[in-house]
């Protein structure tokens, strides 16, 4: 992920502001807030400036995914050349849904908040929509998860843990 973030930071950074790079990367699936904060650090954007920008970028896709993903999957499954995409999205959600289904709110919050490959707001929203978890509950759980991921990634990206420990 680091090399992908570095590529985006380098290539976007010559066209838009540092803040814009962090914002856009935070909106992208797979990279999300984790990648946005890493890019912000690479571009030497101060942490307290990067945090709200990356959080906002990560939040924006959530309601659209929750409200529209089932319709999108249904449409792709009806389209001969895109059916594989709808099936892949459903399979990806099903593989990870057991972690969320049992605990719903807490499970969704932890799924979004713990920065591991394949987790985050995009996948969390996909799973929440397919499990038909209440929209308001899903949004709140994901916001809590994003806050948790922000704290963790701030320590990782900006090396604050090293400063605090000595």
């Amino acid at each position: 992920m680091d090399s992908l973030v570095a590529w985006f930071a380098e290539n976007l950074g010559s066209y838009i502001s540092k803040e814009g790079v962090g914002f856009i990367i935070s909106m992208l699936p797979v990279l999300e807030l984790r990648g946005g904060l890493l890019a912000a650090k690479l571009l030497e954007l101060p942490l307290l400036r990067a945090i709200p920008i990356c959080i906002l970028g990560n939040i924006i896709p959530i309601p659209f995914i929750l409200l529209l993903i089932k319709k999108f999957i249904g449409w792709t499954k009806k389209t001969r050349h895109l059916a594989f995409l709808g099936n892949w999205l459903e399979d990806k959600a099903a593989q990870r849904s057991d972690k969320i289904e049992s605990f719903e709110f807490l499970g969704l919050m932890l799924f979004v908040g713990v920065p591991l490959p394949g987790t985050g707001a995009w996948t969390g929203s996909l799973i929440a929509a397919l499990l038909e978890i209440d929209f308001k509950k899903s949004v709140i759980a994901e916001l809590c998860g994003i806050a948790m991921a922000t704290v963790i990634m701030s320590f990782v990206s900006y090396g604050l843990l090293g400063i605090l420990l000595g």
Side-chain angles (χ1 to χ4, degrees), residues 2-141:
D2 293 347
S3 58
L4 187 58
V5 169
W7 183 87
F8 271 109
E10 183 179 316
N11 289 292
L12 285 176
S14 58
Y15 298 104
I16 59 175
S17 68
K18 297 173 184 180
E19 293 85 354
V21 172
F23 179 79
I24 290 171
I25 290 174
S26 295
M27 288 181 66
L28 297 174
V30 180
L31 298 178
E32 301 190 36
L33 176 119
R34 297 155 178 93
L37 285 174
L38 286 171
K41 175 61 177 166
L42 288 173
L43 295 170
E44 299 178 2
L45 188 63
L47 177 62
L48 294 179
R49 192 164 188 174
I51 286 175
I53 292 166
C54 293
I55 288 174
L56 184 61
N58 201 199
I59 289 172
I60 287 175
I62 292 172
F64 296 102
I65 298 166
L66 288 170
L67 295 172
L68 301 173
I69 196 68
K70 287 175 79 172
K71 290 178 183 178
F72 176 76
I73 289 172
W75 174 77
T76 60
K77 291 175 98 176
K78 291 178 189 174
T79 307
R80 192 174 84 205
H81 298 295
L82 296 175
F84 74 93
L85 179 60
N87 291 325
W88 179 78
L89 287 169
E90 281 185 333
D91 291 344
K92 180 175 178 155
Q95 290 170 358
R96 292 178 168 82
S97 66
D98 61 326
K99 298 170 185 166
I100 294 173
E101 196 169 21
S102 319
F103 301 101
E104 244 178 50
F105 183 90
L106 183 61
L108 184 56
M109 181 186 80
L110 291 173
F111 185 85
V112 172
V114 177
L116 296 172
T119 65
W122 275 79
T123 308
S125 295
L126 169 65
I127 294 169
L130 294 177
L131 291 177
E132 298 181 358
I133 298 174
D134 177 66
F135 179 82
K136 188 175 179 180
K137 184 189 281 189
S138 298
V139 170
I140 293 170

Side-chain angles (χ1 to χ4, degrees), residues 147-166:
M148 190 171 130
T150 301
V151 171
I152 293 168
M153 288 309 298
S154 294
F155 281 110
V156 172
S157 299
Y158 281 78
L160 295 178
L161 192 57
I163 293 169
L164 292 175
L165 295 176

